[in-house]
Amino acid sequence: MTGGELNLAWARAIFRTLAEHGLEEVEIAPGSRSAPLVLAARSLSEIDTRVHLDERSAGFFAVGYGRCHLGPAAVLTTSGTAVANLLPAVVEADLSDVPLIVITADRPPRLRGSDANQTIEQPGIFGDRVRFEADLPLPSPEALEEVGTRSMVEVVHRAARHAVGPPAGPVHLNVPFDKPLQPATPVGLGLRGPDSGRLTGLAAVEAAVASGEVSASDPLGRRSGAPMRGQDQDTLLAHWLVAARRPLLVAGPSSDPGHDGPAVVRFALGRSIPTLADPLSGARFAHGVDDVPATPVLGAYDHFLRVPEAVRRLAPDLIVRVGRTPTSGVLEEALAEWTGATQIVIDNGAHPKDHQGLADHYLRASAGTVLDRLAHPEGGRDGDDPALSRRLPWTRAWTDLEAAAWEAIERAPPDADNEGDYAAAVIRALPPGATLFVSSSMPVRDVDGYGRPAARDLQVLGNRGASGIDGIVSSVLGCAGGGAGPVAGLIGDLAFYHDMNGLLAARDRQLNVVFVLVDNDGGGIFHMLPIRHFEPAFTPCFATPHGLDFRHAARMYGLPFTDAATPAELEEAVAAAVARPGTEVIRVRTDRERNRLSHERTRVRVARRVNEILKPTRP
């Protein structure tokens, strides 16, 4: 038995074990030290592989895959700085509870701390961003003769269980190898299918590894998922709902919008409770939103809560919060201002969802499951809901302002200078069952402010765990790889530039993706902030105009590229593009300052209309 055969058997045992937990996809970044892992993944029929030339793109593709597939993808790298490039994707997966398995090849442990080439301290490199990490032992002939109390396979089982959760998240397996890295000959390595498991000369070695005769040191489990804490939370929450005269449900971005979003809608309709639905909550465009004439699922709050009198008039006495921090900063400010309300957070994620410290009670449970159980008064343990009839004027006060805000927003013709109108056009263009992946910065805010609630059967996703603009292109393509489709990615020019390397994955023609590139030649979000007044530093250091023509980037990757000059043109172009196979780019060009002024005009119209609604009953 050669060292190369042992390395390959070791690697195949790792991937076979991960496959038992649902691993079907491995993102490969090239390198030499990871050769046993690459050959192993490629030799197993139950695993698909993709190659990415940029480790950061590979990591974010895996994040996008995990968001849509709801199962983990593995990302595989060689040793050295290749590993460090995965940190942004690991951070996003951690904060968003997305399953991710990071497998990093390494040099032998004896070389750590030396001047050996491409050798860094890889164990612990991701700190507490991973749920679990293990530095596996070096495969060796001597290891085969040892019988440990914990086999390497059991360690991999533990890693996989932590990855899929709940709560799901990233895990790290560091796998050192010594040379020779691969078997002496490639005989049998090209097999895929029923016979792929019978590689010449490896069966005995693989059996030894799988049976536990090769030991592994006990790894460090960084964090385990927080268990649900029962204590009859349903009864407690049902009591609060009956007692409240002015309850409010706030649904922030969800890690599982397909589960939580419909539950939010059912709860809002069943309890007739005004519900502020973030576009990433899964509730704003779910079935049921249009089931009543004045649905309590609301989306214009970022506009009408800018009116001080509305915030005062709409002060709740009970706030139930699910999901992460809302996209709307205006809503965040209102939550902090409503000091007279009891605030309850329902969450079973890995990280607390209360950075403002407003929660009076924190229920550790699945938000969707709890809301479903209490969606109708008869489902709660308190019996009928006597508060339902007296709550109607309260709910109507919210829905009246919601209708007034949308009337003001939609009264004006679509504005070619307003990026929010382009976001609304993309939403209208997408067919039922489509996925919209929204970049951080202005695109997600425009979808929040201009995406009117409707039963669209539209899944809206984004990397809002850490809210970075890195890796968005790869995350969008990863979503398509995870089974979502068709997929539209609404992305700004700086985010597009940041991850142009990710476009290489679009050579897979089975990925049906339309990138809507909002190109305002820089960072448009900074024009919305007070820093815009601080010239001459503002333009070069914050707005950062680049002068790039992204048509050339599309041509380099062989992607169709078109321009749309108005929201109507964009709506037509997106509707046509999602019906075609493959990936393409549609660009809309805007002016940062004219966009800001157009947003301000919209806010003025909304404030005027909202004040008209509030004026007759003002004391």
Side-chain angles (χ1 to χ4, degrees), residues 529-564:
L529 304 176
I531 193 65
R532 69 179 181 272
H533 300 297
F534 289 78
E535 290 286 15
F538 172 70
T539 296
C541 298
F542 295 90
T544 59
H546 47 74
L548 297 174
D549 185 350
F550 293 102
R551 181 183 302 274
H552 304 300
R555 183 179 298 120
M556 181 170 69
Y557 290 102
L559 303 179
F561 185 98
T562 57
D563 282 296

Side-chain angles (χ1 to χ4, degrees), residues 52-306:
H52 306 262
L53 302 187
D54 183 319
E55 287 84 6
R56 188 172 62 180
S57 296
F60 276 105
F61 190 100
V63 169
Y65 180 98
R67 284 192 184 281
C68 287
H69 192 70
L70 296 182
V75 57
L76 170 58
T77 76
T78 189
S79 62
T81 57
V83 180
N85 276 282
L86 297 179
L87 178 59
V90 169
V91 168
E92 180 60 37
D94 174 37
L95 295 177
S96 296
D97 295 331
V98 172
L100 175 66
I101 299 172
V102 174
I103 304 174
T104 57
D106 201 355
R107 261 56 178 175
R110 67 178 181 275
L111 298 180
R112 295 173 189 169
S114 70
D115 62 348
N117 187 45
Q118 209 170 333
T119 303
I120 65 173
E121 290 288 341
Q122 293 177 195
I125 192 170
F126 301 117
D128 62 358
R129 296 295 92 186
V130 290
R131 305 282 193 273
F132 176 93
E133 72 163 7
D135 184 20
L136 297 183
L138 188 69
S140 67
E142 292 76 21
L144 285 175
E145 300 175 0
E146 299 175 2
V147 179
T149 58
R150 190 181 301 279
S151 73
M152 179 272 288
V153 169
E154 176 55 28
V155 173
V156 178
H157 275 301
R158 291 180 62 197
R161 288 193 292 267
H162 281 272
V164 299
V171 299
H172 178 204
L173 291 173
N174 192 61
V175 191
F177 293 107
D178 213 340
K179 293 183 177 180
L181 297 173
Q182 58 278 320
T185 64
V187 174
L189 291 179
L191 292 177
R192 300 295 295 264
D195 294 329
S196 63
R198 295 193 283 271
L199 300 184
T200 304
L202 298 181
V205 179
E206 211 168 322
V209 173
S211 68
E213 293 178 6
V214 181
S215 62
S217 57
D218 191 16
L220 171 64
R222 289 287 183 180
R223 278 200 307 275
S224 60
M228 292 175 59
R229 299 169 191 162
Q231 294 125 20
D232 210 354
Q233 295 170 344
D234 287 8
T235 299
L236 188 60
L237 184 54
H239 171 75
W240 281 320
L241 290 170
V242 171
R245 301 183 66 87
R246 302 184 307 279
L248 180 68
L249 176 61
V250 176
S254 170
S255 298
D256 188 359
H259 175 252
D260 293 341
V264 167
V265 173
R266 289 188 289 267
F267 182 86
L269 296 176
R271 290 278 183 172
S272 188
I273 290 179
T275 297
L276 311 187
D278 191 278
L280 304 180
S281 67
R284 191 180 292 198
F285 306 110
H287 284 303
V289 170
D290 290 340
D291 281 356
V292 294
T295 174
V297 178
L298 313 177
Y301 48 84
D302 186 70
H303 295 281
F304 63 75
L305 288 179
R306 295 175 187 271

Side-chain angles (χ1 to χ4, degrees), residues 438-445 462-464 466-469 472 490 492 495:
V438 190
S439 178
S440 295
S441 196
M442 280 308 298
V444 69
R445 288 171 171 83
N463 286 346
R464 293 298 287 174
S467 299
I469 64 167
I472 300 298
L490 183 61

